[in-house]
Amino acid sequence: MEALLEASVRLAAPLLIAALGELWVERSGVVNIGIEGTMLSGAFAGFAAAVATGSPAVGLVAAAAAGCGVGILFATFAVVRKLDQIVVGMAVNLIALGATGLGARALYAGNPPAAPTLAALPVPGLAELPLLGPALFAQTPFVYAALGLAVVVGLGLSRTGAGLRLRAVGESARAADAEGIAVDRVRFRAVIAGSALAGVAGAVLTLSHSDVFTEGMTAGRGFIALAVVIFGRWSAGGVVGAALFFGAATALQFRLQARGAEIPYPVFLMFPYLVTLTVLAVAGGRARAPADLGRPYRREAPAG
Amino acid sequence: MSSLARGPAALVRDAVPPTLAVLGALALVGVFVALLGYAPGRALTALLRGSLGSGAAWTATLLKASPLLLTGLAVALSFRCGVWNIGAEGQLLVGALCATAVATRTLPGAPAALVLPAVVLAGAAGGALIGAVAGALRATRGVNEVISTILLNFVAIQLVALAVHGPLQEAAGAYPKSDALPAAAMLPAIGRLHGGLAVALALAFATQLLVFRSAIGFRLRAVGHAPRAARFAGISPELYGWLVLALAGGLAGLAGAFEVAGVTGTLYERISPGTGYTAIAVALLARLHPLSVIPSALFFGALEAGAGAMQREAGVPAVVAQMVQGLVVLLSVGLSVARPPRARGLRTPEPKRGID
Amino acid sequence: MPQATSRPAAYAARLHGVSKAFVPRRPVLDGVDLAVRAGEIHALLGENGAGKSTLMKILVGLLRPDAGSISLADAPVDLDRFTPAEAVRRGIGMVHQVSALVPAMTVVENLAFGDARAGLWFHPRRARRAAERLAARFQLEVSLDRRVEDLAMGERQRAEILRALGRGARLLILDEPTSVLTPREAEALFASLRGLRDAGRAVIFISHKLSEVEAVADRVTILRQGKATASLSAREADARELGRLMLGRDVPPLERPARTPSVAAPALEIRGLCAPGLSEASRLREIDLRLDPGEILGIVGIDGNGQRELEEVLAGVRRPTRGDVCVGGRRIAPRPRALRAAGLAHLSGDRDGAGLISAFTLAENWILKGSHDDRRFFRRGWLDRAAARRAARAAAERFGIVPADPDAPIASLSGGNAQKLAVARELDGDPSVLVAVNPTRGLDVGSARFVHDELLARRRSGGAVLLISTDLDEVLALSDRITALVRGALAAVPPGSDRAAIGAILLGEAAA
């Protein structure tokens, strides 16, 4: 049971980091389905930098920087040029898939070395607590960062001026504009912040969960993060709960897979996606999205 | 329809922005490739030789273009109706799966004349079914189709894996792939070119007629532009969203059936190299016009066919094709080539409560 | 107050030669001058489409003029750097026609989010205390902790005024503020405005109603077709003169001959109709009504009291929970096609949302509602485009729609021409009942007149019209009988009621 909880939290961490980033983006009224490719870019950049320098910390910084870069690409087209956000997001995913695949082969010729990973950092004393000790206090810094970020994002949305303005932009870009808030600037910055987090989330995969980069290795985790935001009903607390739920589903899948050979493995791999679909089917219709989500804001309309 | 109605000058004018998008994307990737230390000139030569340089190269291009044409039509049809179907990949896979199941498991010894139609229909039905699942979630539960179709793609990948490791695995049991399809289940072919290509071309014309000349097409365009106005005109956006996802699924499923019954002759896990995602680029480059999907699919088909040669001859990994696709999407949409039909939010259809 | 100086400014705002065109050579504003003194209520009068809203968008930095200059508090404005943020900083506060508050946020949050003085942190309690102080200082009563979407229109407006004042506004702009208010709420608003004026604030009051201008304004500037035709003291102008300046021509009063009472079966009868609403206040409760052939029944009400729900039920897109809709004595399933087939047509002022599709062509819009059963344009599942074009061209020519090009998208038409097409389309099948909902909302006077004439023509030829409108003047001018829709239920309006009496009914204050 302890092991299962520990694995749930560990596996939830990348989802949580990516979903918190996406939450920040979506509360500003932008949907970034390029988050999948952004994670992939972070995974690759983090891996490459860590391999080159031998330092996972440098990898982490590189991952965040790569996320920012991809975020700038997305925001330039989706926020500044106001193209359709879904289309731009898909394009970003394709570009990231191609560019990271190309980069990996150019650098390692199909034979990548192992990256140095971030070790678990148990909190003395607390880590030995029964049940929750290993899950919460014997994890890698990524997990602590993810949980800390949840608090930061939650308070940031409800208790900071920036969060208040961000919410106003996401709920009614027109009203925010009329109050002198630069809608596109708020959204641009939100996308970059969210993309940096997506990059870090990708680095969790190459610097903690494994030590290699493989082509397309995010395997839909970015899309699950999108679902986590919906399932979490666009609140930080909800996102934590949803991410832990998906972490637990994945952990359970590994556990069952290890135990019984009776059920073929694709069934387990299908499990998180089916769970997501089921959850959306149950919760989807009632979830309350920011009112201006997915709508580019244009000011000058030919009105009398 | 617009340019066709307005004559050759308009046709040329309309072709300028997509051409620019394609050239721009190739140039950008060329620069990137050069920065990584490859020789872009050699890569381009190899790309062209591999896609257009010989009869065999043309065959490869056409074979790659065929599924792109069908899935591109599927995406164009969906986007026209304001349905963001990202699920052509999964629909194709389920189509291939169902076609294989019918060909290798349910119809041994059936009259030869029945086998091929049954296989093809099974593919279309399978794709339609998985499309309809997304449509049902959207219509009845308000689940956004972007998310649901993406998730169903991953489900479909695992369904294929499940099948070729389990019930559909070859009798020899050596590899995770299905038995070879019986000869009666294979599409007629000239050389390597299978008859599915002709069907795909015919369906491009049929889709054009459906969208611009039929009552159903009229209604689905109305829904795409203004769902609320369509509702007041007695057209149910939910119903048409559902219909269009099933139709699109059918087209993509057909593409899957043609792959196993015309190209591979067997089902295995990585049977689709992301065709359903490339289809989005195909549809957008074609400005969602069914007939324009034909040249668009040919371009991306050539790109895929040439990428292999490029990897062999210039050492540039074939995965750059995906970069080209992404950039073509960005540039073609950025050059206002493809304006998705309505200025929209991400709102799923109004929930059924009260309104319907 | 950044602009506060020891000597108060003489003019809160002066605009000179302001021009703006969205389409080349079709100026919406053409060299407009406007001078607003500090401490006055200045009415900007003009019919819809005269350019009032555009002028104000320029003054608040939302639009950039093609030519002209602006000075605020006697200091010139650099138009290249004049953003909404700069306008706010220079003391301009706009109260929009359509509320610019964030509906999903509370009043306190709305007051706080745009406050440039807000620092890094948002303190809900501190923000609330500031809001309380502000409301007390200007004596504006608002429920601070409720979400804006739950407030009545009058209260939203007060919240918006409060917000502008909280930003240090010296010049308040109110864009047709009474259009969403009951007469009583409007009176309260006027009192607030007078209080602000007496406190030294300037107010620009945009309206197309002469009576309001006379009631509240000190000075008035009249806009007509993008030009300022006059600027004069409100005391020296009389309504007749203002009307002439505003319209530029005499508008003959509507002719509405007396109706002979009908003995035929009712054209439309609604019995015990209940339907779910977008909000609790707009849920339909036991609607009973009867509409005779050759009659116009006006249903007056304030937005959000069930108008939209009633419209949707009668258009067949909202399922009633209970009750019957009968057309020509027959009970009809409340579905779009069934209602239409029974002879019920639907004309909406919400043209972009419900009536026409702006990306579709004239021809495509003409055939939009018949896609399931109209044999003239749809045969065996195929579209007859030539027939659609011919019909649309004929209609465009008959009704003077410009351009009369069946292949032009609706988006290229003016609002008036688009609505003409909608009217022509709805009347095409000679329906026995026409449900017209805010049919002239946002139209210029000429187009509105066209629509009114068509409605009266229906009445003369024995058609029945159900006119659901928030425009009391429109309902009073056209209707044979009037009833009110208040909190989702019909309230009787005695024949001969004046505006004040109807206002009381709309507020739910009439004696039972």
Side-chain angles (χ1 to χ4, degrees), chain C residues 267-296:
Chain C
L268 172 71
E269 196 172 9
I270 298 175
R271 285 190 300 254
L273 183 77
C274 298
L278 294 170
S279 69
E280 180 53 25
S282 63
R283 185 163 59 86
L284 296 183
R285 294 153 228 254
E286 297 286 339
I287 303 280
D288 288 291
L289 66 80
R290 177 197 161 106
L291 175 64
D292 286 326
E295 180 184 41
I296 297 181

Side-chain angles (χ1 to χ4, degrees), chain A residues 171 288, chain C residues 101-106 109-110 147-149:
Chain A
E171 289 289 349
R288 196 189 171 289
Chain C
L101 299 169
V102 179
M105 291 171 125
T106 67
E109 285 177 320
N110 266 290
R147 286 173 179 230
V148 167
E149 60 200 358

Side-chain angles (χ1 to χ4, degrees), chain A residues 31 81 102 105 223 281 285 293, chain B residues 141 150 311 317 320 334 344 346:
Chain A
V31 155
R81 296 226 44 205
L102 189 61
R105 295 209 193 179
F223 297 132
L293 186 61
Chain B
R141 305 295 313 151
I150 287 174
Q311 182 161 348
V320 293
R344 56 184 273 290
L346 243 207

Side-chain angles (χ1 to χ4, degrees), chain B residues 1 209-210 212-216 218-219 221-222 225-226 228-235 240 341 350 354-356, chain C residues 276 308 312 315 317-319 335-336 346 350 353-354 357 359-360 364 367-369 371-372 378 381-383 385:
Chain B
M1 194 88 257
L209 286 179
L210 175 79
F212 292 105
R213 298 295 182 98
S214 78
I216 288 176
F218 180 78
R219 284 178 220 136
R221 282 188 293 127
H225 284 302
R228 186 168 156 82
R231 195 189 298 283
F232 275 81
I235 306 164
Y240 274 81
E350 291 174 62
I355 301 233
D356 77 4
Chain C
R308 184 182 157 118
E312 287 176 349
V317 301
R318 180 174 290 268
R319 275 278 179 85
R335 317 293 303 158
H346 169 236
D350 178 17
I357 296 181
F360 267 17
E364 285 173 321
I367 63 176
L368 178 61
K369 291 198 171 174
S371 80
H372 286 97
F378 296 89
W382 296 100
L383 179 59
R385 296 194 299 175

Side-chain angles (χ1 to χ4, degrees), chain C residues 161-381:
Chain C
I161 293 173
L162 204 55
R163 185 172 68 174
L165 293 168
R167 301 282 176 282
R170 311 291 306 170
L171 171 60
L172 271 181
I173 302 168
L174 288 90
D175 191 2
E176 309 220 353
T178 56
S179 62
V180 292
L181 300 185
T182 62
R184 194 190 174 86
E185 280 182 314
E187 220 8 89
L189 172 70
F190 294 161
S192 305
L193 295 185
R194 289 186 201 104
L196 293 174
R197 173 192 61 193
D198 298 341
R201 304 287 201 259
V203 176
I204 294 181
F205 182 93
I206 301 172
S207 180
H208 63 270
K209 298 214 168 119
L210 300 175
S211 56
E212 293 176 353
V213 170
E214 292 190 313
V216 74
D218 302 314
R219 279 189 76 76
V220 54
T221 294
I222 293 131
L223 272 187
R224 186 171 81 224
Q225 291 170 2
K227 292 196 170 84
T229 51
S231 188
L232 58 165
S233 155
R235 264 184 303 275
E236 63 195 47
D238 71 6
R240 199 180 201 83
E241 171 72 358
L242 288 175
R244 196 187 57 73
L245 287 166
M246 180 166 99
L247 300 175
R249 51 180 148 39
D250 284 327
V251 179
L254 290 166
E255 263 179 55
R256 201 161 60 80
R259 196 175 64 95
T260 46
S262 163
V263 289
L268 172 71
E269 196 172 9
I270 298 175
R271 285 190 300 254
L273 183 77
C274 298
L278 294 170
S279 69
E280 180 53 25
S282 63
R283 185 163 59 86
L284 296 183
R285 294 153 228 254
E286 297 286 339
I287 303 280
D288 288 291
L289 66 80
R290 177 197 161 106
L291 175 64
D292 286 326
E295 180 184 41
I296 297 181
L297 172 60
I299 296 186
V300 68
I302 302 157
D303 271 334
N305 276 269
Q307 287 85 351
R308 184 182 157 118
E309 287 76 6
L310 183 58
E311 169 185 17
E312 287 176 349
V313 168
L314 291 176
V317 301
R318 180 174 290 268
R319 275 278 179 85
T321 46
R322 210 143 55 75
D324 295 329
V325 175
C326 303
V327 179
R330 265 190 328 122
R331 194 168 164 268
I332 306 296
R335 317 293 303 158
R337 275 185 270 161
L339 288 164
R340 200 170 165 74
L344 192 140
H346 169 236
L347 176 68
S348 173
D350 178 17
R351 286 174 298 283
D352 297 325
L356 302 172
I357 296 181
S358 59
F360 267 17
T361 64
L362 260 68
E364 285 173 321
N365 274 289
W366 185 257
I367 63 176
L368 178 61
K369 291 198 171 174
S371 80
H372 286 97
D373 42 26
D374 195 332
R375 294 281 170 79
R376 290 172 299 169
F377 309 118
F378 296 89
R379 264 188 302 272
R380 293 165 191 260

